[in-house]
Amino acid sequence: RDAHLARIAASAAYFGFRFDPAAVRTALDAQLAGAGDARVRLRCYRDGTVGVDVEALPRPTTAPVRLAIDPAPVDSTACWPHHKTSLREPYTARLARHPSADDVVLVNERGEVKESCTANLAVRLDGQWWTPPLGSGCLPGIERARLVADGVLHERVLRPADMHHAEDLALV
């Protein structure tokens, strides 16, 4: 929770949103009291107000996730891919182009893999798990950061060909 709130606070500061960590914690506590395991979305508004959405966790699946690679590049220097925002159109458009896929892998203007529309990406090559570096334009995901800090994931530039040669793929 602290890591998520720190990332939200950094994004709020970047975009000039008012952000009161104590008020956010109070709102979260009120909505999560007795909720158990849940998917939580915290919405922050420019004026400092917040909204909290709580819903059931998605059902686990044993089926493989079907991925497609979208060739339209995402600018790795744009600010929006580095922050969780309500700007979803770039993702929904790419998902719509690949209706048979469960998720779509994105590439940047240099042809580097950056992430999927809904998750950070991990690729196992030669027995080692790799994830794109933040410089490739991926969201600084909280679980991704934890796995990198723990030495489970290592950063390196990945290309679509790496995904085709991977021993395994994971969405984080």
Side-chain angles (χ1 to χ4, degrees), residues 102-118:
D102 296 313
D103 204 348
V104 175
V105 174
L106 308 174
V107 296
N108 66 22
E109 72 282 2
R110 297 181 301 273
E112 301 167 356
V113 170
K114 58 186 246 65
E115 62 194 349
S116 80
C117 288
T118 64

Side-chain angles (χ1 to χ4, degrees), residues 21-108:
V24 170
R25 287 179 187 280
T26 299
L28 285 169
D29 290 344
Q31 289 293 321
L32 296 175
D37 290 340
R39 176 182 277 178
V40 179
R41 175 172 288 127
L42 175 64
R43 293 174 283 110
C44 299
Y45 299 94
R46 190 169 297 281
D47 67 359
T49 59
V50 297
V52 179
D53 302 324
V54 180
E55 59 187 54
L57 289 174
R59 297 180 67 98
T61 179
T62 57
V65 175
R66 295 168 301 178
L67 296 174
I69 301 172
D70 192 89
V74 176
D75 182 359
S76 65
T77 64
C79 69
W80 61 268
H82 303 278
H83 300 274
K84 267 197 174 173
T85 72
S86 59
L87 177 62
R88 300 300 305 161
E89 191 282 328
Y91 303 105
T92 57
R94 285 168 172 83
L95 287 165
R97 285 197 291 264
H98 305 278
S100 64
D102 296 313
D103 204 348
V104 175
V105 174
L106 308 174
V107 296
N108 66 22

